[in-house]
Amino acid sequence: MRRVLWAASILAACLFLTAAGIGAQDPVPAVAAGAVLLEDLVAANRILADQGIVDGYGHVSVRSDRNPNRYFISRSLAPELVTADDLMELDLDSNPIDARGRNSYQERFIHGEIYKARPDVMAVVHMHAPAVIPFASSSVVLKPMFHMSAFIAEGVPVFDIREAAGITDMLVSNSTLGAALARALGSRPAALMRGHGAVIVGPSLPITVGRSVYLKTNAEMQAQAIMLGGTIKYLDPEEARKAGTPDGYQRAWTLWRRKALGR
Amino acid sequence: MRRVLWAASILAACLFLTAAGIGAQDPVPAVAAGAVLLEDLVAANRILADQGIVDGYGHVSVRSDRNPNRYFISRSLAPELVTADDLMELDLDSNPIDARGRNSYQERFIHGEIYKARPDVMAVVHMHAPAVIPFASSSVVLKPMFHMSAFIAEGVPVFDIREAAGITDMLVSNSTLGAALARALGSRPAALMRGHGAVIVGPSLPITVGRSVYLKTNAEMQAQAIMLGGTIKYLDPEEARKAGTPDGYQRAWTLWRRKALGR
Amino acid sequence: MRRVLWAASILAACLFLTAAGIGAQDPVPAVAAGAVLLEDLVAANRILADQGIVDGYGHVSVRSDRNPNRYFISRSLAPELVTADDLMELDLDSNPIDARGRNSYQERFIHGEIYKARPDVMAVVHMHAPAVIPFASSSVVLKPMFHMSAFIAEGVPVFDIREAAGITDMLVSNSTLGAALARALGSRPAALMRGHGAVIVGPSLPITVGRSVYLKTNAEMQAQAIMLGGTIKYLDPEEARKAGTPDGYQRAWTLWRRKALGR
Amino acid sequence: MRRVLWAASILAACLFLTAAGIGAQDPVPAVAAGAVLLEDLVAANRILADQGIVDGYGHVSVRSDRNPNRYFISRSLAPELVTADDLMELDLDSNPIDARGRNSYQERFIHGEIYKARPDVMAVVHMHAPAVIPFASSSVVLKPMFHMSAFIAEGVPVFDIREAAGITDMLVSNSTLGAALARALGSRPAALMRGHGAVIVGPSLPITVGRSVYLKTNAEMQAQAIMLGGTIKYLDPEEARKAGTPDGYQRAWTLWRRKALGR
């Protein structure tokens, strides 16, 4: 009798754990980076999808915490589907260290060339959020609407691939184009890409993801403010400098990460 | 005792499979087309609903891979509800081969007449996405905002049923009207329909569904860009030609299909 | 042993049915109307919430199929929460037949007075959808953007409660105000209410709910079309008359009802 | 045999209760306030997240029902994650009574200073809803579009932190700034904060949360009405005064609370 009860209890526990998605997390593979960093990168992929920053396209990378000349990024896959097993290590020329037959994103050079040019950058997001692209292709300039997007006051240049390379397929698919984009970005936190999207950088994954979210929010708010037809008071550059990144987006990151990883 | 444990294990497994939706997929019926093609057509129906391209109305079809003079489309049903059992085979005059008492969409002639006129077309979507209709009824022309919707540079003509047939109930409900729409479409990837919606075509289901999604996204982005009030740089026709269909929308299709079929 | 298996099977089945929401439907109470009509009314409440037509406020009613001088409507409750047990029968003066201690909506007179004035009307929706109210308070007139909202061509008058009763709390909270609204509605399918919302009527619940959904969709599309800044071709009145209510919104109703009732 | 059935029944019941989320509610801690008030505060946090009023940032507080010189607010945490265990009691100088190592929101002074200045206020919301900020930074004034947001007719002043304190990091992070905001608010139900967000107050949590929701809805509707380009009839001040808070937002609160707490 007792054995039946024990067996039933174990089955019930298994059922519950399965239903709750506990145990469904992907094990972090044994690669040359801290486990938390890679788990954060998986979370970042899913957060960007949850927040509508990326759809089937777009990507996010993080610089290795063990070797500044390496970065991690998913194999060519929609960010929403990324698990730890999909992560690849690349050098700064964007060559995979151990591809194991997996394909890389065609535009991985965006990441490698920015890491080369910007030692301060630890994470890079590339995305096509619909709210942002109108500003990438308009003469109207993106400006900071509120303290959460104060970083926009540093300037968000527009990279026009045509100025760098004439008529192209619009993709940043080699080192030369990646380096041109990195030059357009300069020392700024983000750049728009005409007819394409945007690239956002930062000193950590939480800050880079947070900037991506609030770049989009700011674009939506600015479009609405313009539509009202009155005069608009953007954040003063000095206010923006003081505001900085309010809390490194840590309060939001805690929320987003928990939801993205289901715990 | 052991038999109890076995029985409990089996029950638990069944419960889990049921809860996870595994095994809930409709078996592909024994019709004259490849099983994958029909499963893709079921997926396409659900993807278009998931992405807000169709609501209770709209439809998607695919040309048979065994007989170019046949196509598959659901019986008259909201796309979100379509299963393999709802698929019907029609000839290019849009007559069902074996209706088994099922009703066809009243506007199936959109599909049949386009397949007749365009041997290159393997899939057709008809939809009423709210973001697209303002362009279908406005003098403002849809133009390509980014590389994912580069196909728009080929031109998206507006079909006005009134020019073809005078005062109607707006429905393309016979072969004559279907042929008029096919003529308006010409060799283009999509046509808007004044006071009605749009039709999108392509060489495969993934490309046709992808074009449907990015036609809508482009319409939303272009409306926002116009609202900003500045000058807009649309994709250059040569850039658009080079961009083509970036990856045949395969990365997005993999994501969409997995979510639509629950696996 | 066998009894254990039987018991386990029954438990498993119960668990599955519970999880699937089957059996969770409220039993239809024994009142003076067909069971399907009342189940449709429960569905209509939830559909209007699902579709964003109502939020915590707004209501829907149906005329009794057994006594044209009676109608059914929920007790004062957010539509999303309505079950069969919440339905009340009212006479056309909007007095409850058997309140059983339940409160009625303060604005139930909208329903009673329209049923009095319009023998053709079998269902009434009152709502505050945000997309519709800008037209209720603007000099810009709602016009039909596509065949699914062709009924708008019959005209959607704006009821201004101030013209009927001077300064009020904006609520149609008695028979006099209800009758004034019914007069403003006249023979039309819908009326906007300045600074308040709209009322939509029809010969059945599916058509009235369908009109509510497409009134909102049309308002969104027309606002976007206006924003584009070009000239707009609205549906021609003759086209609209021919289009009518394409299929009585039956294809959409089948989808909406199945989702609202969870089966 | 019977004991197996009993055990299985209990397990099944536990599984169901767990799956349904019943029993998952956080126990209300033994603090100096009524249990219902604190449960309402937990609900208010989640409702504001559900309704898109707050994201990872923003906060809501309630004045103690046992000591008017105290209020309750969560520790520094995204509102969506708040449980009863996260609630802290603060005095009106915004010092925690018993922090137990938990951090307070940096901008808690918004709450304390308003409770000092406004004995009628029992609850305070601070938020950054994207629909509201364009009005906070535009010369266009927020006006009441419908009876549900009639409170806007009392006036929604714009607090510009620069007028109070020159160049800052935009945060109301001390008592002086909190008092300046409270002065700008005056006797009104809400104030916008230039380049930041808004603060909403009221005589109860349901009314304060309701006002927060309809402040956002009104902003969205007013932007759309302006976009239509015609003349707009806002609510007359006398109508607004009569409309008041229709039902204290009780019907909506019942819906929101039930969904937020999962029962």
Side-chain angles (χ1 to χ4, degrees):
Chain A
M1 255 333 58
R2 258 188 225 148
R3 279 195 293 179
V4 178
L5 290 183
W6 274 78
S9 301
I10 289 161
L11 276 166
C14 291
L15 269 172
F16 172 62
L17 288 174
T18 309
I22 296 165
Q25 284 317 118
D26 318 293
V28 173
V31 288
V36 170
L37 192 74
L38 297 184
E39 195 177 66
D40 277 356
L41 182 54
V42 170
N45 272 278
R46 297 183 191 168
I47 290 167
L48 292 168
D50 286 351
Q51 297 286 322
I53 306 303
V54 298
D55 58 359
Y57 300 94
H59 17 87
V60 52
S61 68
V62 69
R63 194 192 291 264
S64 171
D65 52 356
R66 304 206 177 154
N67 181 345
N69 295 315
R70 300 273 176 87
Y71 69 97
F72 290 90
I73 192 167
S74 169
R75 69 179 175 97
S76 181
L77 188 69
E80 189 171 340
L81 300 177
V82 169
T83 66
D85 218 37
D86 300 308
L87 301 184
M88 300 174 71
E89 189 172 7
L90 278 67
D91 64 26
L92 297 194
D93 289 329
S94 296
N95 296 312
I97 304 305
D98 178 14
R100 290 190 275 128
R102 298 171 297 175
N103 291 323
S104 290
Y105 291 118
Q106 199 182 345
E107 295 193 293
R108 61 192 179 277
F109 304 95
I110 293 173
H111 303 259
E113 297 304 318
I114 288 175
Y115 287 124
K116 270 188 207 167
R118 290 277 299 269
D120 62 307
V121 166
M122 298 304 288
V124 177
V125 166
H126 169 56
M127 54 83 142
H128 310 158
V132 169
I133 291 178
F135 286 93
S137 299
S138 169
S139 57
V140 175
V141 175
L142 205 59
K143 291 186 184 168
M145 290 290 298
F146 75 150
H147 62 311
M148 298 306 299
S149 53
F151 68 92
I152 291 174
E154 296 179 45
V156 181
V158 179
F159 171 67
D160 190 333
I161 196 170
R162 195 167 178 173
E163 292 169 15
I167 297 293
T168 64
D169 65 359
M170 304 301 290
L171 298 179
V172 180
S173 51
N174 61 47
S175 291
T176 308
L177 290 167
L181 172 58
R183 275 194 303 276
L185 174 65
S187 61
R188 312 296 170 74
L192 303 181
M193 301 162 74
R194 195 263 308 162
H196 187 147
V199 63
I200 299 97
V201 303
S204 71
L205 271 171
I207 288 178
T208 308
V209 169
R211 284 176 174 171
S212 302
V213 170
Y214 288 107
L215 187 78
K216 168 176 170 277
T217 303
N218 194 95
E220 291 165 347
M221 298 194 321
Q222 188 174 344
Q224 288 290 305
I226 288 171
M227 198 175 75
L228 296 182
T231 56
I232 305 170
K233 282 189 193 171
Y234 296 104
L235 226 55
D236 180 275
E238 279 305 295
E239 286 174 333
R241 199 186 50 74
K242 278 205 169 183
T245 306
D247 69 338
Y249 300 117
Q250 275 300 333
R251 199 187 307 157
W253 176 258
T254 301
L255 170 68
W256 294 334
R257 192 181 194 281
R258 193 186 294 195
K259 291 170 78 173
L261 298 181
R263 57 180 151 150
Chain B
M1 254 333 60
R2 259 190 224 146
R3 279 196 294 180
V4 178
L5 290 183
W6 274 79
S9 302
I10 290 162
L11 275 166
C14 291
L15 270 172
F16 172 62
L17 288 173
T18 310
I22 297 165
Q25 283 318 117
D26 318 291
V28 173
V31 289
V36 170
L37 191 74
L38 297 184
E39 195 177 65
D40 277 356
L41 182 54
V42 170
N45 272 277
R46 298 182 190 170
I47 290 167
L48 293 168
D50 287 352
Q51 296 287 321
I53 306 303
V54 298
D55 58 358
Y57 300 93
H59 17 87
V60 51
S61 69
V62 69
R63 194 192 290 266
S64 171
D65 52 356
R66 303 205 177 155
N67 181 345
N69 295 315
R70 300 274 176 87
Y71 69 97
F72 290 89
I73 193 168
S74 168
R75 69 180 177 95
S76 180
L77 189 68
E80 189 170 340
L81 300 177
V82 168
T83 64
D85 219 38
D86 299 308
L87 301 184
M88 301 174 70
E89 189 171 9
L90 277 68
D91 64 26
L92 297 194
D93 289 329
S94 296
N95 295 312
I97 303 305
D98 178 14
R100 291 190 275 128
R102 297 171 297 176
N103 291 323
S104 290
Y105 291 118
Q106 200 183 344
E107 295 193 294
R108 62 193 179 277
F109 305 96
I110 293 172
H111 303 258
E113 296 304 317
I114 289 175
Y115 289 123
K116 268 188 207 167
R118 291 277 299 270
D120 61 307
V121 166
M122 297 304 288
V124 177
V125 166
H126 169 56
M127 54 82 141
H128 310 158
V132 170
I133 291 178
F135 286 92
S137 299
S138 168
S139 57
V140 174
V141 175
L142 204 60
K143 291 186 183 168
M145 289 291 297
F146 76 149
H147 61 311
M148 299 305 299
S149 53
F151 68 91
I152 290 174
E154 297 180 45
V156 180
V158 179
F159 171 67
D160 190 335
I161 196 170
R162 195 166 179 174
E163 292 170 14
I167 297 293
T168 63
D169 64 359
M170 304 300 291
L171 300 179
V172 179
S173 52
N174 61 46
S175 291
T176 307
L177 290 167
L181 171 58
R183 275 195 303 277
L185 173 66
S187 61
R188 311 295 169 75
L192 303 180
M193 300 161 75
R194 195 265 306 163
H196 188 149
V199 64
I200 300 97
V201 303
S204 71
L205 272 172
I207 289 178
T208 307
V209 168
R211 283 176 173 171
S212 301
V213 170
Y214 288 106
L215 187 76
K216 168 179 170 276
T217 302
N218 194 93
E220 291 165 346
M221 297 192 322
Q222 188 175 344
Q224 289 290 306
I226 288 171
M227 198 176 75
L228 296 182
T231 56
I232 305 171
K233 282 190 193 170
Y234 297 103
L235 225 56
D236 179 275
E238 279 306 295
E239 286 173 333
R241 199 186 51 73
K242 278 205 169 183
T245 306
D247 68 338
Y249 301 115
Q250 275 299 333
R251 199 187 307 157
W253 176 258
T254 301
L255 171 68
W256 295 334
R257 192 181 194 280
R258 192 187 294 195
K259 291 170 77 173
L261 297 180
R263 56 180 154 150
Chain C
M1 255 332 63
R2 256 187 226 149
R3 279 197 294 180
V4 178
L5 290 183
W6 274 79
S9 303
I10 290 162
L11 275 167
C14 290
L15 269 172
F16 173 62
L17 287 173
T18 309
I22 297 165
Q25 283 317 117
D26 319 291
V28 173
V31 288
V36 170
L37 191 74
L38 297 184
E39 195 176 66
D40 277 357
L41 183 54
V42 169
N45 272 278
R46 298 182 190 170
I47 290 166
L48 292 168
D50 287 351
Q51 296 287 320
I53 306 303
V54 298
D55 57 359
Y57 300 94
H59 17 86
V60 51
S61 68
V62 69
R63 195 192 289 267
S64 170
D65 53 355
R66 302 205 178 153
N67 181 346
N69 295 317
R70 300 273 176 86
Y71 70 96
F72 290 90
I73 193 168
S74 168
R75 69 180 176 95
S76 182
L77 189 69
E80 189 170 340
L81 300 177
V82 169
T83 65
D85 219 38
D86 299 307
L87 302 184
M88 301 175 71
E89 189 172 8
L90 278 69
D91 65 25
L92 297 194
D93 290 329
S94 295
N95 296 312
I97 303 306
D98 178 14
R100 291 192 272 127
R102 297 172 297 176
N103 291 323
S104 290
Y105 290 119
Q106 199 182 345
E107 295 193 295
R108 61 193 180 277
F109 305 96
I110 293 172
H111 303 259
E113 296 305 317
I114 289 175
Y115 288 124
K116 270 188 204 166
R118 291 279 298 271
D120 61 307
V121 165
M122 297 305 288
V124 176
V125 166
H126 169 56
M127 54 81 143
H128 310 158
V132 169
I133 291 178
F135 286 93
S137 299
S138 168
S139 58
V140 174
V141 175
L142 204 60
K143 291 185 183 170
M145 289 290 298
F146 77 148
H147 62 310
M148 298 305 299
S149 53
F151 67 91
I152 290 174
E154 296 179 45
V156 180
V158 179
F159 171 67
D160 190 334
I161 196 171
R162 194 165 179 174
E163 292 170 14
I167 297 293
T168 63
D169 64 0
M170 304 301 290
L171 299 179
V172 180
S173 52
N174 61 45
S175 291
T176 307
L177 290 167
L181 171 58
R183 275 195 303 277
L185 174 65
S187 62
R188 312 295 169 74
L192 303 181
M193 300 161 75
R194 195 264 307 162
H196 187 150
V199 63
I200 301 98
V201 303
S204 70
L205 271 172
I207 288 177
T208 307
V209 168
R211 283 175 173 171
S212 302
V213 170
Y214 288 107
L215 187 77
K216 167 178 170 274
T217 303
N218 194 96
E220 291 166 346
M221 298 193 320
Q222 188 174 343
Q224 289 289 306
I226 288 170
M227 198 175 75
L228 295 182
T231 56
I232 305 170
K233 282 190 191 170
Y234 296 103
L235 225 55
D236 180 275
E238 278 307 294
E239 287 173 333
R241 200 185 51 72
K242 277 204 169 184
T245 306
D247 68 338
Y249 300 115
Q250 274 301 331
R251 200 188 304 157
W253 176 258
T254 300
L255 171 68
W256 294 333
R257 191 181 194 281
R258 192 187 294 195
K259 290 171 76 174
L261 297 180
R263 55 179 156 156
Chain D
M1 258 327 66
R2 257 187 227 150
R3 280 195 292 180
V4 178
L5 291 183
W6 274 79
S9 302
I10 289 161
L11 276 167
C14 291
L15 269 172
F16 172 63
L17 287 174
T18 308
I22 296 165
Q25 283 317 119
D26 318 292
V28 172
V31 287
V36 170
L37 192 74
L38 296 184
E39 194 176 67
D40 277 356
L41 182 54
V42 170
N45 272 279
R46 298 183 190 169
I47 290 166
L48 292 168
D50 286 352
Q51 296 288 320
I53 306 303
V54 297
D55 56 0
Y57 300 93
H59 17 88
V60 52
S61 68
V62 69
R63 195 192 288 266
S64 170
D65 53 356
R66 302 205 178 155
N67 181 346
N69 295 317
R70 301 272 176 87
Y71 68 97
F72 289 90
I73 192 167
S74 169
R75 69 180 174 96
S76 181
L77 188 69
E80 189 171 340
L81 300 177
V82 169
T83 65
D85 218 37
D86 299 308
L87 302 184
M88 300 174 72
E89 190 172 6
L90 277 68
D91 65 25
L92 297 194
D93 289 329
S94 296
N95 295 312
I97 303 305
D98 178 14
R100 290 191 272 129
R102 297 171 297 176
N103 291 323
S104 290
Y105 291 118
Q106 199 182 347
E107 296 193 293
R108 61 193 181 277
F109 304 96
I110 293 173
H111 303 259
E113 296 304 317
I114 289 175
Y115 287 125
K116 270 189 206 164
R118 290 278 299 270
D120 61 306
V121 166
M122 297 304 288
V124 176
V125 166
H126 168 57
M127 54 82 143
H128 310 159
V132 169
I133 291 178
F135 285 93
S137 298
S138 168
S139 57
V140 175
V141 175
L142 205 59
K143 291 186 182 170
M145 290 290 298
F146 76 148
H147 62 311
M148 299 306 298
S149 53
F151 67 92
I152 290 174
E154 297 180 45
V156 180
V158 179
F159 171 67
D160 190 335
I161 196 170
R162 195 166 179 174
E163 292 170 14
I167 296 293
T168 64
D169 65 0
M170 303 301 290
L171 298 180
V172 180
S173 52
N174 62 46
S175 291
T176 307
L177 290 168
L181 172 58
R183 275 195 302 277
L185 174 66
S187 62
R188 312 295 168 74
L192 303 181
M193 300 162 75
R194 194 263 309 162
H196 188 148
V199 63
I200 300 98
V201 302
S204 71
L205 271 172
I207 288 177
T208 308
V209 168
R211 283 176 174 171
S212 301
V213 170
Y214 288 107
L215 187 77
K216 168 178 170 274
T217 303
N218 194 96
E220 291 165 346
M221 298 193 321
Q222 187 175 344
Q224 289 289 305
I226 289 170
M227 198 174 74
L228 296 182
T231 57
I232 305 170
K233 282 190 191 169
Y234 296 103
L235 226 55
D236 180 276
E238 278 306 295
E239 286 173 333
R241 199 186 50 75
K242 278 205 169 185
T245 306
D247 68 337
Y249 300 116
Q250 274 301 331
R251 200 189 304 158
W253 176 258
T254 301
L255 171 68
W256 293 334
R257 192 182 194 281
R258 193 186 295 195
K259 290 170 78 174
L261 298 180
R263 54 177 155 156

